[in-house]
Amino acid sequence: VSPATRLLEKRRQMFEVQEALNSQKEEFARREDAFRRREEALRRKDIELQESLIKFNKFLQENESKRNRAQKRYADEKKQRELKELEFNKLNEQYNQKLIEEQG
């Protein structure tokens, strides 16, 4: 085999290796791009999830606050009703006592 033929064969092999390398670079670039897109989508999804969690937490806090206010209002109204009942019973007793005194 002549040196010129060996040189051509080496150039052909070098070209094939370069083509394979270029193909691998393109594949790597495609995969890297797909990875970046996937990573960005996951990042957006994570942000959406965090925002949703913040909104839900705020909702729970507002509900807890409303529940506490309602319980306090209920306790206050119950106490007021009990006081009114005591006052009514006292006045009723005084009224009945007056009737007995007037009749007796």
Side-chain angles (χ1 to χ4, degrees), residues 77-92:
E77 289 175 1
K78 182 180 177 186
K79 185 169 184 154
Q80 285 298 317
R81 189 190 77 227
E82 290 170 352
L83 290 173
K84 291 288 184 187
E85 285 176 0
L86 286 174
E87 184 181 353
F88 173 79
N89 289 337
K90 181 180 173 187
L91 290 173
N92 197 29

Side-chain angles (χ1 to χ4, degrees), residues 62-76:
E62 288 172 354
N63 271 5
E64 180 69 16
S65 178
K66 288 176 184 178
R67 187 175 68 84
N68 288 339
R69 284 195 307 270
Q71 285 177 331
K72 184 180 183 325
R73 187 171 60 244
Y74 171 78
D76 290 346

Side-chain angles (χ1 to χ4, degrees), residues 22-101:
N22 289 343
S23 178
Q24 286 179 345
K25 283 181 180 179
E26 289 172 9
E27 178 62 25
F28 178 77
R30 277 193 298 273
R31 286 183 179 184
E32 190 176 31
D33 185 53
F35 172 76
R36 266 194 234 107
R37 282 187 307 226
R38 175 88 171 122
E39 186 179 35
E40 184 58 33
L42 288 173
R43 191 174 292 121
R44 281 192 306 269
K45 205 67 157 161
D46 184 54
I47 290 170
E48 289 173 10
L49 185 60
Q50 288 178 22
E51 289 172 351
S52 177
L53 185 61
I54 289 169
K55 286 179 184 176
F56 184 65
N57 195 26
K58 183 179 177 184
F59 168 77
L60 289 178
Q61 288 175 346
E62 288 172 354
N63 271 5
E64 180 69 16
S65 178
K66 288 176 184 178
R67 187 175 68 84
N68 288 339
R69 284 195 307 270
Q71 285 177 331
K72 184 180 183 325
R73 187 171 60 244
Y74 171 78
D76 290 346
E77 289 175 1
K78 182 180 177 186
K79 185 169 184 154
Q80 285 298 317
R81 189 190 77 227
E82 290 170 352
L83 290 173
K84 291 288 184 187
E85 285 176 0
L86 286 174
E87 184 181 353
F88 173 79
N89 289 337
K90 181 180 173 187
L91 290 173
N92 197 29
E93 192 175 313
Q94 289 175 356
Y95 174 75
N96 287 335
Q97 195 65 27
K98 274 229 189 244
L99 281 179
I100 290 172
E101 289 173 4

